[in-house]
Amino acid sequence: MTTTAHLPAPRGVWLRSRLPRPGIVLAALFLLVVAVAAVVPGLLAAQDPLAIGTDPGFLPPFASTAHLLGTDQEGRDVLSRLAHGTAPSLVMGLGATGIAVIGGAVLGLLAGLGSRATEAVVMRVLDVVLAIPELLLALIVIALLGTGTEHALLAVGVATIPYYSRMVRAQTHVVRRSGYVEAATGLGIHQASVIWRHVLPNAIKPVLVLATIGVGTAIAVGASLSFLGLGAQPPAPEWGSMLAAGVQYISVDWMLVAIPAVVITLTVLSVTVLGQDLRRRAEGRTAR
Amino acid sequence: MPLSEPRSWPHLLTRAMSLAAVATVLSACSASGLSQPAPPHGDARNTAAPGEVLNGGGTPVKGGTLKISMAADPLCLDPHSISSDTEQILGHLQFDNLTFLNADGSPGPWLATSWTISPDGRTYVFTLKKGVTFADGTPFNAQAVVANFAHMLDPNTRSPLAGPYIAPYASSTVIDDYTLQVNLKSAYSPFLNVLAQGWLGMESPKAIQESTPAQLCAHPVGSGPFTLTSYTPNVGASYARRADYDWGPPALGQTGAADLDGVDLSWIGQDPVRYNSLISGQYQLTGYLPPQNAAAVQANSQFVFEDVNRIGWPFTFDFNTSRAPLDDIKVRKAIVEGVDVNAIVQTSQFGQRGVARSYLDSVTEFYDPSVQLPAYNVQDANALLDGAGWASRNAAGFRTKNGQELDLKLPVSNATTVSPVYDLLQAQLKTLGVNLQVEVQPQTQVTTRRYAGDYDLLSGVWHTNTPDVLSIKYASSQIPNSAHLGQNLARLSDPTLDRVLQRSRETTDRTELASLYSQAQKQLVSDVPGLPVYQNTVLWAFDKKLHNVIVNTSHGTPLLTYAWLVP
């Protein structure tokens, strides 16, 4: 049986029920639509996002019932591309954050529980990595591995590892000095078991809150990489690459830029709003 | 020269990428006798005639600095060392050539005032213009020309265009300071034409001798109407007027120095930025107008818009005939018949470029309009693929043969905006059951694959000023290998075609040339070494404050020697 830790915040605050604020409801609803688009894009848009038919390019939104959001420069349905582009865009956010959380947890535990020397080495290396801006680090990874969604995902994930490992390390320091860990160690439980069952579960919670906010950032960075032509490759639909293609035709049809830009912004905003709310709840502060 | 823009990461990166792209844009040189007039005005395009003076008349205003924008920096300004198309515009600011193409496409005098050709076509004797000096004071004479030929052919120059264009050059004999005999290894009828191309401009022999290749790239010295005063890679270059210049091409009918004080050039890789900075008046001329903005510029009475069809090889997908599946002529024919090129061109080129159905651009001398690829016919195409053994289809709808999917790999550089043409072709081939895989990669990787033959399709254009472009693209001696970076990317090896093309280099008899080039075009249509898509036209525009811009016959580019600017 897992011994549940008592975090600094009193128990119950974590999921304290409170009437959600309208902004949070809106964000959650928007993310629900995004989630549906990611899992079953066909529900929102019936057309093939790659199909180039006889329809003219640059149709404005609502001009045709077949193309609610119009068509792009090649006559493809914008709504379909947006819907089918959701999954790759979200995979970037979730995947990169997943890599960062796992990598951050391992390195953070290593630093937090290891010897002073181990901690010094790990933290100084992470300091160096932190000194390099996230996007620049991602570009270096791509330069080494090549372009493509998987590489961009790995790049963003690796670049954000230090943020998580620093937090895990700090939390580990708090948790390892707590009574229950000392008790478990005193009872003679194997060290690996103590780490796995007591330290990690209690150190990771604030990290998950941070990760929620990080998903938004990762989506934005992923879109930036695709915008630069380093992420998803044409003709695969992806929000960042749709934006990049649209910019070329901004003088002809500005909607090709506006639509993916608004969707990226709203998604990142919604994830961040929910993440902030989670953090406030976890920290026991009043949502404000 | 100053171009103040925010130094954000994406900005720098895209700029760097577009610059790298420019460096690899392969262009060919000038035109030989362009006998066929350009299409008349009045179609959807605004096509200037070769040699035409645009926004001419009026009294020239002295002074002023012309600001021009170009798509990408060749990262070297030594014309002999680069293949960038931008050289056709900016090269003529700084350099003069031995010949100049007349409006009718025939080679006329410039720094070479006259010449004689031996009956066997292998010996040229040039009389050179006297009193010409380079910007560093070095006199132009026969020795200078010899030094230039040597520099073009020097392996250290790594010349991608100038050197290969004078490959038949053997030696020179200086008869006196202003008379030079050039001996060729074999007859080469396009010789006088290629000498008019920007990449074969004359450089100061002193600068050539005293500079390393890198120094020459950064600061070449010519005898042209302007001298280079500063060059910042990826940012821009500035040129100042040479007050003592008095040796422009006689065909221009003007003498003396330029009216402009100078020219400031900026590299702007992003299409929308280049367009908007022209419209907003930051620049008075752009050498590369994005096709999507052509209609807007055309409708704007403040600008002169030109869309000039160029001599050479149209935008074409080369088929790699040396490996499966495109070694099978049935598959090649099926693609040519099964792709609706009209639809692709209409969608991607905004009505600015015409469809190509032959391996020679329609304005090229000896283009034979009767030789055309078969018309679009999906049924035929499917029958051809079935007949080639690609009859069954897999779950994804792609054709298979012996369990293998019909895949075609097309490496594409990520250095510039990826053209919508690739997506459009991919979508059309999918309906035929062909899986076109567009592989967007760094330029260096694409170049490596290009010369190693690791591709099924490659795309490109080749503009030059002679129908001899067919030898460059399709003679078997031009198949690239580790030692020779040839341009026969279809890797076509057809002895009959080789014979015809070789003979076309040897004769100057126009009747025979017409027959030979017609034969070559017919042979190519039966070999199907590629899928031509659209005519290779160059789109440029300038503010009406700029006057007296001449359409350079050689490459359809603006010649700014005697342009002047209303403040």
Side-chain angles (χ1 to χ4, degrees), chain B residues 370-386:
Chain B
S370 73
V371 182
Q372 300 278 311
L373 287 163
Y376 173 52
N377 186 331
V378 179
Q379 268 174 326
D380 266 15
N382 279 315
L384 278 164
L385 288 170
D386 290 343

Side-chain angles (χ1 to χ4, degrees), chain B residues 20 51 153 159 239 243 330 350 388 413 536 561:
Chain B
L153 292 166
S159 177
Y239 298 87
K330 284 184 188 153
F350 297 81
S413 164
N536 174 20
T561 313

Side-chain angles (χ1 to χ4, degrees), chain A residues 48 50-52 57-58 73-76 81 133 135-136 139 147 227-230 233-235 247-252, chain B residues 9-10 13-14 17 270-272 275-276 292-293 347 350 414 417-421 423-424 426-427 430 438 440-442:
Chain A
D48 179 349
L50 302 183
I52 299 176
F58 305 115
Q73 70 279 5
E74 291 163 25
R76 297 175 298 200
R81 290 185 66 74
L135 188 57
L136 181 55
L139 289 173
T147 55
F227 181 81
L228 295 175
L230 302 172
Q233 297 297 302
V247 165
Q248 299 301 320
Y249 305 101
I250 194 166
S251 312
V252 184
Chain B
W9 252 101
L13 190 78
T14 29
M17 293 194 300
Q270 293 271 34
D271 281 358
Y275 163 70
N276 283 303
Q292 61 265 32
N293 303 119
T347 304
F350 297 81
N414 64 6
T417 308
V418 176
S419 166
V421 172
D423 287 354
L424 294 163
Q426 189 177 47
K430 195 177 173 186
V438 181
V440 184
Q441 295 178 327

Side-chain angles (χ1 to χ4, degrees), chain B residues 14-66:
Chain B
T14 29
R15 166 165 285 191
M17 293 194 300
S18 51
L19 290 169
V22 182
T24 56
V25 171
L26 294 165
S27 41
C29 34
S30 46
S32 81
L34 183 116
S35 60
Q36 208 163 321
H41 286 69
D43 60 23
R45 316 207 312 266
N46 190 25
T47 304
E52 191 178 333
V53 178
L54 302 170
N55 206 20
T59 312
V61 176
K62 298 252 180 228
T65 299
L66 171 66

Side-chain angles (χ1 to χ4, degrees), chain B residues 265-344:
Chain B
L265 160 74
S266 296
W267 315 106
I268 304 181
Q270 293 271 34
D271 281 358
V273 180
R274 207 163 54 252
Y275 163 70
N276 283 303
S277 59
L278 174 76
I279 294 299
S280 65
Q282 285 181 61
Y283 297 94
Q284 286 99 32
L285 180 145
T286 183
Y288 299 88
L289 187 75
Q292 61 265 32
N293 303 119
V297 175
Q298 220 169 339
N300 189 332
S301 60
Q302 198 195 327
F303 295 93
V304 176
F305 165 73
E306 288 306 331
D307 172 353
V308 189
N309 208 349
R310 317 176 86 163
I311 299 164
W313 187 66
F315 179 90
T316 301
F317 286 96
D318 273 313
F319 294 154
N320 186 348
T321 60
S322 73
R323 76 175 196 185
L326 292 178
D327 57 346
D328 185 343
I329 191 163
K330 284 184 188 153
V331 179
R332 306 205 294 269
K333 278 188 172 153
I335 293 175
V336 163
E337 286 195 43
V339 170
D340 184 359
V341 173
N342 281 301
I344 293 181

